[in-house]
C-alpha cells in the first residue's frame, strides 16, 4: 500500500500549532517505519526544501509560494491557502505518485485531515475516477475537531470518502450532520514512552518539594477551561496548599483575558522564556520562583522537557469542556504523570483508575480531588501506573495495525448510489508489508 496524508499542519515549526501536527507526524512516521511508502502533504516552511525524503517517508512542503507572503504560520492567509491547496495538491499527488502505483497493481490510501482538505480530497477522487483507478484506493477524511463543519457539504463528502473521527464523543457530535463516522483514535510515538530525564526530574521535584505543582498546556480557548483552572489555583492558595501553576498557551487572543484573570484572582505571575532545548533550558527558566503562583512559559517545550514536566508535576490539568480526543492527557499518562481530564472525548480515561476525570467546570471538584490524593500518595501512585499501562494501548504502531488498516480496507472503492461501499479489494494486500516489517 502507498499512503498519502493531506494536512495543513505538519512537522515544521511554521506548520505546528496543536494536536493535529502531533497526530500526522506520529502517524506518518509510524507508517513509514512499517515499510509503507508514505507521503505527507502539508503547508510547510517556505524556506525549507520543497520535498524531503526520510527513508520511506516523503515530506511535501506545499504552498510555499503562498506561505512566503504569510510569515505568521500555517493558518496565516488561510482563506487563500485553502482553495490553492485544493487546486494544486491533487494533480501532483495523483499524476506523479498515486496513479502510477495503482496502475502497477498496488493499492493506495489517502487520508485527509480537517475541513481545509475537503475540496482537495474531492479533487483526488475525481482524478482517480477519470483514470479508472478509484476502486484501488481508499479515501478517508478525518475530523479532529468540529472546526469548519458548517462549510462542509456532508452528503457529497460521504459519497466521496469514508468519514472517520478520533473518539466516540466526536462520532456522536457528527451524527447531527447526517454522517456515521468510523473511529480511528490518535496514537503516541515511541519516544512518548521513554523515561523522563532522571536528573532533571530530581531537580524539579527538589526545587518544588514544598509546592503543589500543576501543569496546563493548551490553546488559549474557553473550551480548555483555563478560567476554572485559575480559580482552582486561587482556591488552593487560600487553603495554604502553596500551588504553582506552570502554564503554556498558544497565540490566540483569548490568552489576554486569561492572563488578566490571573491578576483578578490575586495570583502572582512570572513570564519565562529560554533558548536552547531539552530539560536544561526548561529548568533554567524555573529558577527563583518563591513569590510566584503562576509561571507563564513563553518558549516551545520540546519532547524531552515536556516528559520531565508532565512526570514531575503533582497533576496535569488536561480538563476541557469540549475535547475531541485529549492528546495531552494521554501523553501525560505515557510519561508517568497524573492526568486530570475532562469527560468528553477522552475514551481512554477511567475515573479514579488511570486518571482524574472532572465531570463539571466547578473548580471545587478539582480542588477536592487534588486534596484527596495529597493525603493518599499510594492512590496517586496507583493512578500513575495504571495510566502508563493504558497509554501503551495507544502506541501508533498498534493503532495502525489494529484500527487504521482495517478501516482503510472498508473505504476501498467509491460509494454506491445508496451510500454503501463495495467489498474491500485489498484485505490481504496490507498484511505482507506488516508481517515483513515485524
Amino acid at each position: 500500500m502507498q499512503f498519502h496524508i493531506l494536512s495543513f499542519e505538519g512537522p515544521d515549526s511554521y506548520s505546528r500549532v496543536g494536536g493535529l501536527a502531533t497526530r500526522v507526524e506520529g502517524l506518518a512516521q509510524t507508517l513509514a517505519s512499517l515499510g509503507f511508502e508514505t507521503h505527507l502533504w502539508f503547508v510547510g516552511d517556505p524556506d525549507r526544501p520543497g520535498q524531503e525524503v526520510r527513508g520511506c517517508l516523503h515530506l511535501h512542503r506545499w504552498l510555499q509560494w503562498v506561505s512566503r507572503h504569510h510569515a505568521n504560520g500555517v493558518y496565516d492567509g488561510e482563506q487563500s491557502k485553502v482553495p490553492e491547496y485544493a487546486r494544486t495538491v491533487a494533480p501532483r499527488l495523483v499524476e506523479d505518485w498515486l496513479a502510477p502505483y495503482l496502475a502497477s497493481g498496488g493499492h493506495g490510501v489517502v487520508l485527509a485531515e480537517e475541513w481545509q482538505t475537503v475540496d482537495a480530497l474531492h479533487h483526488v477522487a475525481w482524478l482517480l475516477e477519470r483514470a479508472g483507478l478509484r476502486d484501488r484506493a481508499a479515501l478517508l477524511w478525518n475530523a479532529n475537531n468540529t472546526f469548519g463543519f458548517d462549510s462542509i457539504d456532508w452528503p457529497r463528502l460521504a459519497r466521496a470518502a469514508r468519514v472517520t473521527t478520533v473518539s466516540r464523543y466526536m462520532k456522536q457530535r457528527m451524527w447531527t450532520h447526517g454522517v456515521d463516522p468510523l473511529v480511528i483514535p490518535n496514537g503516541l510515538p515511541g519516544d512518548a514512552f521513554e523515561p523522563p530525564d532522571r536528573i532533571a526530574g530530581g531537580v524539579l521535584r527538589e526545587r518544588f518539594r514544598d509546592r503543589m505543582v500543576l501543569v496546563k498546556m493548551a490553546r488559549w480557548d474557553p473550551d480548555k477551561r483555563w478560567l476554572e483552572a485559575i480559580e482552582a489555583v486561587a482556591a488552593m492558595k487560600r487553603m495554604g496548599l502553596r500551588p504553582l501553576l506552570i502554564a503554556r498557551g498558544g497565540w490566540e487572543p483569548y490568552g489576554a483575558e486569561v492572563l488578566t484573570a490571573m491578576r483578578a484572582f490575586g495570583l502572582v505571575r512570572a513570564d519565562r522564556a529560554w533558548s536552547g532545548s531539552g530539560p536544561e533550558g526548561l529548568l533554567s527558566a524555573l529558577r527563583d520562583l518563591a513569590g510566584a503562583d503562576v509561571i507563564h512559559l513563553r518558549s516551545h517545550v520540546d519532547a524531552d522537557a515536556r516528559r520531565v514536566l508532565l512526570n514531575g508535576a503533582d497533576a496535569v490539568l488536561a480538563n476541557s469542556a469540549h475535547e475531541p480526543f485529549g492528546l495531552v492527557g494521554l501523553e501525560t499518562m505515557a510519561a508517568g504523570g497524573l492526568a486530570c481530564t475532562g469527560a468528553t472525548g477522552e475514551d481512554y480515561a477511567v475515573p479514579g483508575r488511570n486518571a482524574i476525570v472532572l465531570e463539571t467546570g466547578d473548580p471545587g471538584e478539582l480542588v477536592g480531588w487534588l486534596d484527596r490524593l495529597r493525603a493518599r500518595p499510594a492512590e496517586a501512585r496507583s493512578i500513575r501506573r495504571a495510566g502508563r499501562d493504558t497509554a501503551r494501548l495507544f502506541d501508533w504502531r498498534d493503532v495502525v495495525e489494529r484500527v487504521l488498516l482495517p478501516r482503510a480496507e472498508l473505504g476501498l472503492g467509491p460509494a454506491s448510489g445508496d451510500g454503501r461501499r463495495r467489498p474491500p479489494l485489498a484485505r490481504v494486500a496490507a498484511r505482507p508489508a506488516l508481517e515483513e516489517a515485524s
Side-chain angles (χ1 to χ4, degrees):
M1 276 190 177
Q2 186 183 86
F3 283 82
H4 294 268
I5 301 172
L6 305 181
S7 170
F8 260 43
E9 293 190 32
D12 294 352
S13 296
Y14 180 89
S15 315
R16 183 179 294 279
V17 175
L20 176 58
T22 303
R23 170 186 167 84
V24 298
E25 184 176 14
L27 174 56
Q29 290 175 347
T30 300
L31 288 168
S33 73
L34 289 170
F36 294 109
E37 181 184 329
T38 304
H39 299 257
L40 176 56
W41 304 80
F42 68 105
V43 181
D45 186 333
D47 296 322
R48 298 188 66 180
Q51 184 174 338
E52 182 179 345
V53 180
R54 302 176 182 175
C56 292
L57 177 59
H58 299 246
L59 298 179
H60 302 270
R61 295 185 172 90
W62 211 246
L63 296 189
Q64 290 179 303
W65 60 94
V66 180
S67 297
R68 286 191 180 92
H69 304 286
H70 299 282
N72 293 325
V74 57
Y75 296 117
D76 185 16
E78 182 179 40
Q79 294 308 311
S80 63
K81 288 177 177 177
V82 170
E84 184 69 359
Y85 186 89
R87 184 183 70 84
T88 61
V89 76
R92 179 67 65 84
L93 184 160
V94 173
E95 295 168 10
D96 290 1
W97 297 98
L98 186 55
Y101 188 81
L102 300 181
S104 69
H107 288 84
V109 177
V110 180
L111 176 58
E113 301 280 344
E114 298 291 61
W115 72 270
Q116 295 93 345
T117 67
V118 168
D119 288 339
L121 189 63
H122 284 309
H123 198 175
V124 169
W126 180 78
L127 290 172
L128 290 176
E129 289 279 6
R130 189 178 67 171
L133 296 169
R134 178 63 184 87
D135 284 349
R136 302 197 65 81
L139 303 189
L140 303 154
W141 179 83
N142 185 65
N144 296 279
N145 211 317
T146 56
F147 299 141
F149 273 17
D150 291 342
S151 67
I152 296 173
D153 182 339
W154 290 100
R156 183 185 178 211
L157 178 59
R159 289 191 299 268
R162 173 68 68 174
V163 177
T164 70
T165 192
V166 292
S167 66
R168 292 191 295 271
Y169 164 75
M170 278 293 292
K171 179 184 179 79
Q172 293 174 19
R173 290 289 300 265
M174 293 169 72
W175 284 344
T176 61
H177 295 277
V179 292
D180 190 16
L182 302 174
V183 175
I184 301 177
N186 278 315
L188 295 173
D191 63 2
F193 302 96
E194 293 179 4
D197 184 288
R198 289 185 178 274
I199 295 177
V203 171
L204 185 69
R205 284 187 289 273
E206 175 63 23
R207 190 173 293 177
F208 300 121
R209 64 183 182 278
D210 298 326
R211 311 278 311 254
M212 178 175 283
V213 179
L214 309 175
V215 171
K216 188 168 179 65
M217 308 179 79
R219 288 180 293 106
W220 297 123
D221 188 292
D223 280 342
K224 299 301 182 182
R225 284 183 166 160
W226 276 101
L227 296 182
E228 290 84 349
I230 291 165
E231 188 175 352
V233 171
M236 285 185 275
K237 182 179 180 179
R238 292 192 296 270
M239 294 168 62
L241 298 179
R242 301 195 66 213
L244 177 66
L245 174 63
I246 301 176
R248 170 63 176 162
W251 297 98
E252 299 80 12
Y254 180 69
E257 182 176 337
V258 175
L259 297 177
T260 299
M262 293 176 185
R263 293 193 298 271
F265 278 106
L267 301 178
V268 178
R269 187 185 92 233
D271 292 356
R272 293 296 171 89
W274 62 94
S275 59
S277 61
E280 296 79 9
L282 175 67
L283 291 176
S284 69
L286 298 180
R287 296 179 182 274
D288 305 322
L289 300 173
D293 304 305
V294 179
I295 309 304
H296 176 210
L297 301 181
R298 303 296 299 271
S299 300
H300 172 66
V301 184
D302 63 41
D304 291 340
R306 190 180 179 96
R307 285 195 300 276
V308 169
L309 198 55
L310 298 180
N311 176 273
D314 291 289
V316 177
L317 307 185
N319 56 314
S320 299
H322 160 67
E323 183 58 70
F325 179 80
L327 194 55
V328 173
L330 196 61
E331 288 174 337
T332 299
M333 291 180 174
L338 181 64
C340 300
T341 75
T344 50
E346 300 91 337
D347 292 345
Y348 54 81
V350 182
R353 172 73 65 179
N354 59 12
I356 297 173
V357 178
L358 302 173
E359 301 280 353
T360 72
D362 181 3
E365 183 184 12
L366 172 59
V367 173
W369 264 108
L370 295 178
D371 194 38
R372 171 190 172 85
L373 294 180
R374 184 175 64 93
R376 296 171 172 83
E379 185 175 340
R381 289 193 295 271
S382 176
I383 292 174
R384 288 175 182 256
R385 287 193 299 270
R388 187 163 172 81
D389 290 341
T390 297
R392 290 194 179 279
L393 299 175
F394 292 85
D395 181 284
W396 259 125
R397 182 179 178 120
D398 188 55
V399 171
V400 166
E401 295 180 350
R402 176 173 46 89
V403 185
L404 176 60
L405 290 176
R407 294 297 192 254
E409 292 173 6
L410 290 173
L412 279 166
S416 61
D418 59 4
R420 293 179 297 179
R421 303 237 162 220
R422 299 174 184 174
L425 302 176
R427 185 167 300 281
V428 298
R431 305 265 46 104
L434 282 176
E435 291 163 4
E436 183 179 351
S438 299

